[in-house]
Every structure is written in C-alpha cells, then in structure tokens.
Amino acid sequence: MRKIKVEDAVGEMLCHDMTGVNDNGVKCVRFKRGHVITEADIPALLNIGKGHIFVWEPDADEVHEDDAAIALAEVICGDNLSYDKKPSEGKIQINAAADGLFTVNREALRKINSVGDYTVATLPNFTRVDKGQKLCGLRIVPLVTKRDNVDRAVALARENFPVITVLPFKPLKCGVIITGSEVYYGRIQDRFEPVMTKKLAGYGAQLLGFTKCPDDLAMIGAAIQDFLKKGAEVILLTGGMSVDPDDLTPTAIRQSGAEIITQGVPMQPGNMLTMAYLEETILIGVPGASMNFPTTSLEVFLPRIFAGLKITKEEIAGYGEGGFCLMCAECRYPNCYFGHSV
Ligand SMILES: Nc1nc2c(c(=O)[nH]1)N[C@H]1C(S)=C(S)[C@@H](COP(=O)(O)OP(=O)(O)OC[C@H]3O[C@@H](n4cnc5c(N)ncnc54)[C@H](O)[C@@H]3O)O[C@H]1N2
Ligand code: MOO
C-alpha cells in the first residue's frame, strides 16, 4: 500500500471503508471502499481528520482486511448462521438464522484470536438466541494482513469445525411430576403447572402431561416409570427438593436407577436443581425458586438440554463464578453474566 496526501488523491480509488461521525453525532461509513475520490471530497476527508489515504498496490504476501475477514467467516460457521458477504469497515457480523442455542468452541476461538490481526468477538458459549440476533463480529485490525495469518486462522477453523454454530431446539417429550401433599390434597392451589407450561413452550416441547403426587416415594417413583413408558425424554419434578423429612424428590430420582449428575448447583436462585440421567432420559428436580422467578439455574441448563447436549458432572462446580444472580427488577437474562462462566 502507498500513502498519499488527499490533495493529490483525486481520481484514486479508496481501498477500505472510511469511518466518520455524521451530523447526528453517530459513527458511520462516510466513504465506501471502491469510491473514486473527487475534488469535492477533499474538504470532507479533511473534516474527518484524514490528511492521507492509502492506495492499494497488490502484494502476493498481503491480504486486504475484507478478503481476510471473508476467508475466515466462510470456514468458522456451522449451521443456522448468516452473514453479509460484504464487510462494512472491515467487519463481518454473523447473525442467528434460527432460534436455538449458540455454541462456540472456546479453545479454538482463543487460538484464532492469538494468530495476530484477527479479532473474533462472540456471545458467550451456550447463550440462548433468537433468529436474526447478532452473535459475532469478525474483523482484521490493520487494513492488510499477512497471507500466513489468513492461512493459519483458516486452518484452525477447519480443524475445529464448527467454531460457532446455532443448535435448534428439539421438540423433546416432557413429563412433569408435581409433588407435595399440600397440592395433591387440594390444601393449596398448584402454581407450578402454568409456570412449567410456559417455560417448556418456549422450546417447543411436546408435553406428555402433568402428574400430581403427594409426598410419597412409591407414588413419585410410579409416576416416573409411567412417563418413561410413554417415551419421556425429559422428566421434571417440582417440590420436595429441600432438606425437610418430607422432601423426597431427590430420593425418588435416585431410586429410579438414574445416574445423578448433580444434587444442587452453585447458583442462586436455583440452588436445589438436581439432574440425573436414566439412559437417554434426563430427570430434573426443579428448584423451588423456579415457581416465582423468570430466571434460575433451570433456565441456564434447559436450552442445552433442548439443544440435545448432555450435562456433565465435571462442569457443575464451574458455574459458581457468575452463578449469583442480581435479581434485577427487570430480568435481562441471557444478556447478563448469570450462568455464562462455563
Ligand atoms: N434449611 C434449609 N432450608 C432451605 C434450603 C436449604 O438448603 N436448607 N434450601 C432452600 C431452597 S434453595 C429451596 S428451593 C427450598 C426448597 O424447596 P422445595 O422444592 O423443597 O419446596 P417445598 O418445600 O416443596 O415447597 C416450598 C414452598 O412452596 C410451596 N409449593 C411447592 N410446590 C408448589 C406448587 N406446585 N404450587 C404452589 N405452591 C407450591 C410449598 O407449599 C411451600 O410453601 O428450600 C429452601 N429452604
Ligand atoms: O433452589 Mo432454591 O430457591 O435457590 O430454588
């Protein structure tokens, strides 16, 4: 690239977008790549602080920022992602093409961001996203980068394909067991059924039904078996998650023969969340807080479960950092730190 004074640049073609601030004080592209500079542009360029422009002189060893960004975007994306193939100000923005769970291979992302010149910024791994939502901004810092950087970044993305993706939610078959003698015998009105109906509808779950049980191990166990026979892929159990003698739900889950992944998580609200696998079916002890709060530990794990991913024992301890919800007056989850540390 050759640097020339703007006064000498009439007739030359801009080789990158030029950023300025418009009359409303908003940052924007003032001159697009490919624009041929005219006499009238000179004051405008000087007004945005540009005394010189670069003129593109191809070099076999160098790649323009736009071409370098496109080369990586083409290999970094898995399913259900979209992006405009024309970068703006050297940046490509990658969006969700479907509702689902955003995943990013953190190790691969770290390696790509260590190559040099490449910067790839994404949402946290395992964020629940909506179709059309912004997920990732990919940009080269200088106007040109070395071909070797492009080759290394592209090779890393290929080796770790897909570095980013959106996994759509599966319409899993769900059974809900509502425990508690006070609800079963009608002493109080059940509040969990409407709450769980709404929470599960957001994933397109196929609801097999709700079964109410008193605080009775045999009845809770039979309800679990009944949902298993009906082909449940997810069984959620509410109530009885705590420490009182009548709180039997974790015991019922254990007695079903399921392998306990965790009984309790280092997160608030939702400390009492219990998760266990009986072959491919996940049994979930729903934390009491789920009845009253829009976001608890349950909302952190449900998107992964409906995206078809398995929860592991080993990862649970890592949720402590960022596991303390601030309970904002207006919940912004998942656009906050809660549940994003792993
Ligand atoms: N000493 C301790 N106390 C508590 C702990 C603890 O670790 N040590 N954990 C707290 C946390 S966290 C939770 S969550 C709750 C445990 O809740 P449970 O799941 O055991 O809830 P229950 O005892 O069954 O019920 C609590 C409360 O909610 C009412 N309830 C339950 N189900 C329904 C329903 N379907 N509809 C309407 N209302 C319902 C129930 O009647 C109770 O009033 O424990 C903390 N304490
Ligand atoms: O497990 Mo509890 O309230 O933190 O739901």
Side-chain angles (χ1 to χ4, degrees), residues 14-326:
L14 281 181
C15 69
H16 59 93
D17 291 348
M18 276 192 159
T19 305
V21 173
N22 68 18
D23 294 342
N24 300 323
V26 178
K27 184 169 97 58
C28 62
V29 177
R30 287 300 297 267
F31 295 96
K32 286 291 293 173
R33 178 186 184 186
H35 176 76
V36 177
I37 294 174
T38 65
E39 201 67 56
D41 295 331
I42 294 173
L45 281 164
L46 291 171
N47 287 351
I48 58 169
K50 311 293 176 192
H52 296 82
I53 65 158
F54 283 121
V55 174
W56 181 245
E57 289 179 330
D59 176 335
D61 193 31
E62 285 181 336
V63 182
H64 187 281
E65 56 170 359
D66 289 354
D67 302 327
I70 290 166
L72 183 61
E74 277 172 355
V75 290
I76 206 173
C77 293
D79 290 337
N80 301 310
L81 299 169
S82 69
Y83 58 91
D84 187 344
K85 292 192 171 53
K86 271 205 173 133
S88 178
E89 295 171 88
K91 187 178 83 179
I92 290 187
Q93 183 180 293
I94 300 172
N95 299 333
D99 295 349
L101 182 78
F102 172 71
T103 72
V104 49
N105 179 332
R106 286 181 157 173
E107 205 38 50
L109 184 71
R110 188 185 290 270
K111 285 181 184 161
I112 289 169
N113 279 324
S114 303
V115 161
D117 293 350
Y118 272 103
T119 65
V120 185
T122 76
L123 294 190
N125 192 25
F126 297 146
T127 301
R128 182 183 179 165
V129 296
D130 298 327
K131 185 177 176 180
Q133 185 177 332
K134 298 184 220 175
L135 307 176
C136 170
L138 188 167
R139 165 178 274 155
I140 313 303
V141 174
L143 281 178
V144 289
T145 189
K146 292 287 175 203
R147 185 159 298 281
D148 180 53
N149 287 339
V150 181
D151 292 346
R152 280 165 52 214
V154 166
L156 280 167
R158 285 212 169 106
E159 280 160 27
N160 294 286
F161 183 83
V163 177
I164 56 173
T165 191
V166 171
L167 302 174
F169 296 131
K170 297 169 189 283
L172 299 179
K173 293 195 188 97
C174 296
V176 184
I177 301 170
I178 293 171
T179 80
S181 293
E182 70 280 32
V183 176
Y184 184 79
Y185 293 112
R187 297 182 74 88
I188 63 165
Q189 171 79 31
D190 167 45
R191 292 207 286 123
F192 254 123
E193 180 168 332
V195 167
M196 294 313 297
T197 303
K198 192 170 166 213
K199 290 194 181 197
L200 295 173
Y203 300 96
Q206 299 179 60
L207 259 179
L208 297 174
F210 291 85
T211 304
K212 290 200 180 77
C213 286
D215 297 313
D216 179 291
L217 258 186
M219 286 180 76
I220 302 170
I224 293 174
Q225 293 307 322
D226 187 48
F227 276 130
L228 287 171
K229 277 196 208 104
K230 289 179 176 152
E233 294 161 295
V234 182
I235 300 175
L236 297 117
L237 298 98
T238 72
M241 294 303 304
S242 186
V243 290
D244 301 330
D246 290 333
D247 288 330
L248 304 173
T249 304
T251 308
I253 292 174
R254 212 174 284 276
Q255 285 189 357
S256 72
E259 189 204 346
I260 303 281
I261 297 304
T262 189
Q263 181 176 346
V265 288
M267 305 177 80
Q268 290 180 11
N271 265 166
M272 295 303 181
L273 177 71
T274 295
M275 291 182 283
Y277 283 101
L278 194 55
E279 294 176 10
E280 293 307 304
T281 300
I282 185 163
L283 279 71
I284 304 173
V286 174
S290 245
M291 198 164 61
N292 299 314
F293 297 104
T295 301
T296 69
S297 57
L298 184 69
E299 279 61 46
V300 171
F301 292 98
L302 279 185
R304 289 175 54 185
I305 291 163
F306 279 94
L309 300 181
K310 275 219 158 186
I311 315 295
T312 64
K313 276 184 184 161
E314 296 68 34
E315 67 187 281
I316 297 298
Y319 278 92
E321 182 195 337
F324 185 71
C325 171
L326 284 179

